[in-house]
Amino acid sequence: MNKKKRYKILSLFYTQDSDPKTELIFSSDFELLLSVILSAQSTDLTVNKITKKLFKIANTPESIVFLGLERLTKCIKNVGLYNTKALNIIRTSFLIAYKYNGNIPNNRTILESLPGVGRKTANIILNTIFKKNTIAVDTHVFRVANRTNFAKGKNVQDVEKKLMKVVPPFFKLKIHSWFVLHGRYICTARKVKCNMCLIYNLCEFNEKKI
């Protein structure tokens, strides 16, 4: 896909939604971090149901630590990989509370050293909280980027590198959310809704449907 077409696609997304937001529900930086950790291999809808109850009980690093592993595990048992996530959340909460004075680190290396925080989660935190021009690539972003031919890659690392190269700085803060929402509701894995697609005329997918 050429530069001009990419710019038109991004401009259309911007016109439709100039300030896209994650569908995760949170009211603090720490709540967002926990929500993103919980969202791995789970839907935002499921995570929001869990955190709605959890955050009423504990929503700070200290309160999560005091909640303890057993109670936390019970609170998040409806999310995928809940045992591993519970342990990671306890450990990460402890580090944030007592090593980083309750603050979410504004540093990729430190973020990725936290249990349960990988590159995708770090990118989301840096982008959403600290307004860094990072682009997180999840399954939706990976699918949309490849299917449309916007930024093809064999794995998420390849797609991230390509997106960082071809996306103008003005759009880097927003493209993750645009592609996530587009992949979640329009350019879905199974039933592609081409008839509802904002970028239908610009998309280079060989199997487009009307």
Side-chain angles (χ1 to χ4, degrees), residues 30-82:
F30 180 70
E31 286 187 1
L32 174 62
L33 176 61
L34 260 57
S35 294
V36 177
I37 292 174
L38 288 169
S39 70
Q41 298 185 37
S42 298
T43 66
D44 287 359
L45 180 62
T46 297
V47 173
N48 287 336
K49 288 180 179 178
I50 289 170
T51 56
K52 183 178 181 180
K53 297 179 181 179
L54 173 62
F55 291 159
K56 288 180 181 179
I57 303 170
N59 69 338
T60 64
E62 295 86 352
S63 61
I64 289 291
V65 172
F66 291 140
L67 185 65
L69 180 60
E70 185 176 348
R71 290 182 64 193
L72 176 61
T73 302
K74 290 180 180 178
C75 288
I76 69 169
K77 65 181 180 180
N78 290 326
V79 76
L81 306 174
Y82 65 92

Side-chain angles (χ1 to χ4, degrees), residues 50-141:
I50 289 170
T51 56
K52 183 178 181 180
K53 297 179 181 179
L54 173 62
F55 291 159
K56 288 180 181 179
I57 303 170
N59 69 338
T60 64
E62 295 86 352
S63 61
I64 289 291
V65 172
F66 291 140
L67 185 65
L69 180 60
E70 185 176 348
R71 290 182 64 193
L72 176 61
T73 302
K74 290 180 180 178
C75 288
I76 69 169
K77 65 181 180 180
N78 290 326
V79 76
L81 306 174
Y82 65 92
N83 282 315
T84 300
K85 289 177 181 178
L87 184 59
N88 285 337
I89 286 171
I90 289 290
R91 290 174 173 172
T92 286
S93 297
F94 182 87
L95 289 170
I96 290 173
Y98 301 108
K99 187 174 182 178
Y100 301 112
N101 301 312
N103 299 312
I104 307 299
N106 181 9
N107 178 282
R108 175 185 296 283
T109 302
I110 296 175
L111 281 171
E112 291 187 26
S113 73
L114 297 173
V117 178
R119 185 173 183 85
K120 184 192 76 172
T121 298
N123 277 337
I124 292 173
I125 296 303
L126 291 169
N127 180 280
T128 305
I129 297 176
F130 300 109
K131 306 305 178 185
K132 299 286 185 71
N133 284 337
T134 58
I135 302 174
V137 178
D138 65 0
T139 55
H140 296 300
V141 176

